[in-house]
Amino acid sequence: MSPVDAIKSVLSQYASFGGRARRSEYWWFVLFTLILSVVAGILDGALGTDIGSGPSSTGVIGLIVSLALLLPTLAVAVRRLHDTDRSGWWLLIGLVPLVGSIVLLVFLVKDGTRGSNRYGADPKDAPHAAAPSMA
C-alpha cells in the first residue's frame, strides 16, 4: 500500500471503528500525523499563535490539527488492534504509565492474524480478491 493510499484510506474511514487495518496503513498515517503536527508547530511559532509558553506548549493551528485528526487516529488504531485479533479497548492500556505504552506499541507493531478473524477478512488478501481477471 502506497503512503498516499494509506492516508486516503484512513481519512475516508475517519469514523469507522469496524474492520481491520494493515500495519502499513496505520504507520503511514502515524508518520503523516507527525509531519502535520511539526508543520503546525512551525506555523504557530512563525505566526505567533502559541498558547502558553515553554517547549510543551501548543498553538491554535496545532490544536486545530490535533482535534481534526483525533477521531481518525483513534479509528485506525482500533482497526489496527482488530487486525491482531484484539479489541479496541486495548487502547486504554496506553494510559498505564510506561508499561502500557510499551505493550500497546508491541500490539501495533505485531503482524496481523492471517485469514479472517472475528473483525473481518484479512486486509492483505483484499486487493488480490478484488483484482479484475485478465481473461
Side-chain angles (χ1 to χ4, degrees):
M1 176 175 275
S2 75
V4 174
D5 290 339
I7 294 164
K8 283 182 183 179
S9 174
V10 171
L11 292 176
S12 69
Q13 302 176 59
Y14 73 96
S16 174
F17 290 84
R20 297 167 63 172
R22 295 176 65 173
R23 279 186 295 186
S24 61
E25 181 179 355
Y26 176 78
W27 290 109
W28 279 121
F29 188 73
V30 168
L31 181 62
F32 168 75
T33 302
L34 179 66
I35 292 169
L36 209 55
S37 297
V38 168
V39 169
I42 291 170
L43 286 174
D44 279 327
L47 298 174
T49 57
D50 290 336
I51 300 171
S53 61
S56 64
S57 69
T58 188
V60 174
I61 297 170
L63 185 62
I64 292 169
V65 167
S66 296
L67 288 174
L69 293 176
L70 177 65
L71 195 56
T73 301
L74 288 174
V76 74
V78 167
R79 290 195 310 271
R80 179 71 204 116
L81 286 170
H82 286 177
D83 192 40
T84 62
D85 205 21
R86 288 180 177 80
S87 168
W89 290 105
W90 276 103
L91 276 179
L92 296 177
I93 200 168
L95 298 174
V96 177
L98 189 61
V99 175
S101 299
I102 293 169
V103 169
L104 187 58
L105 180 64
V106 169
F107 289 165
L108 295 172
V109 170
K110 193 175 175 184
D111 194 18
T113 56
R114 301 300 296 156
S116 295
N117 67 17
R118 59 187 163 153
Y119 298 105
D122 189 348
K124 288 185 179 179
D125 293 338
H128 302 297
S133 168
M134 297 301 276

